[in-house]
Amino acid sequence: MLDSLLAFAGLCVVLAVTPGPDSFIVLRFAVRSGVAASLSAAAGAAIGSLFWAGAAGLGLAALLAGWSIGYTIVRVLGALYLIYLGVRALCARRPVEADTTGIPEHLSWWRAGRTGLLSAMLNPKIGLFFLAVAPQFVQSHADVVATTLLLGCIDAAVAFGWLALVSIGASRMMRWLRRPKVGTHLERASGVALTGLGVATLATH
């Protein structure tokens, strides 16, 4: 059992370091609002991943995968949300408020966490990941729901750990540079990435 959990954790590490919507969202908050907001977004994304693990364990994700219209609806909503975040970053009227003192723009932890949570919950690919991968790590005599939730906790912990490193690293880099224009350019870059991911998701069948 321990070997299976370690193998699953290793797979989660590989997937976590692969750039995705959550990474760009956390990076944007780290650049714009500092480490507290970006950590909240990371926690929200991890909770959203845990939601899909529970849904997969209960069979809801299987139902969604088998119901093509339902999957399409969730996929389109998730893509539109990513495009909304990207366009919002690109069309921001004011630059990142990080003056020579390095003080970022204030953003509530709740708002940042909600953004990360919605991004993960509107990504049905996470549910399909648990449907496809989790059965390989569930032993025949084990409780399927409980084991899937345990795997979800491992995935959430790994994802949060990686996103926290991204958050802290980006925030420290911004404090070291103390250049508002750098933050603005990075936010614009994250906006382009989020918009591109949203468009690519819409184009995916």
Side-chain angles (χ1 to χ4, degrees):
M1 181 64 177
L2 180 59
D3 293 340
S4 297
L5 295 179
L6 291 176
F8 181 78
L11 176 61
C12 291
V13 171
V14 174
L15 295 177
V17 300
T18 303
D22 297 338
S23 300
F24 291 112
I25 289 173
V26 169
L27 179 61
R28 177 175 180 249
F29 281 130
V31 170
R32 188 174 186 86
S33 303
V35 65
S38 57
L39 286 178
S40 296
I47 295 174
S49 176
L50 188 58
F51 160 81
W52 279 113
L58 294 173
L60 297 179
L63 177 62
L64 183 63
W67 183 36
S68 60
I69 296 178
Y71 176 85
T72 300
I73 291 174
V74 175
R75 178 177 60 83
V76 170
L77 288 176
L80 292 177
Y81 185 64
L82 290 176
I83 294 174
Y84 162 75
L85 293 176
V87 172
R88 185 176 179 180
L90 291 172
C91 297
R93 294 184 177 180
R94 56 181 180 177
V96 177
E97 296 179 2
D99 55 19
T100 55
T101 63
I103 300 176
E105 176 188 0
H106 174 71
L107 184 69
S108 67
W109 64 269
W110 165 251
R111 180 180 170 187
R114 181 185 60 188
T115 301
L117 176 65
L118 288 176
S119 173
M121 291 184 65
L122 291 176
N123 186 0
K125 293 181 180 180
I126 300 177
L128 295 181
F129 162 75
F130 281 105
L131 282 177
V133 176
Q136 304 178 39
F137 297 90
V138 178
Q139 299 181 0
S140 58
H141 61 276
D143 183 278
V144 175
V145 176
T147 305
T148 304
L149 284 175
L150 176 59
L151 296 176
C153 290
I154 294 174
D155 177 66
V158 170
F160 177 77
W162 169 251
L163 293 175
L165 290 176
V166 173
S167 168
I168 295 173
S171 298
R172 288 186 175 179
M173 182 182 69
M174 288 305 301
R175 288 199 301 268
W176 176 62
L177 292 174
R178 294 185 178 180
R179 296 175 182 174
K181 290 185 178 181
V182 173
T184 300
H185 293 326
L186 287 176
E187 185 182 14
R188 297 295 185 270
S190 67
V192 171
L194 289 171
T195 304
L197 286 172
V199 173
T201 302
L202 281 177
T204 301
H205 298 284

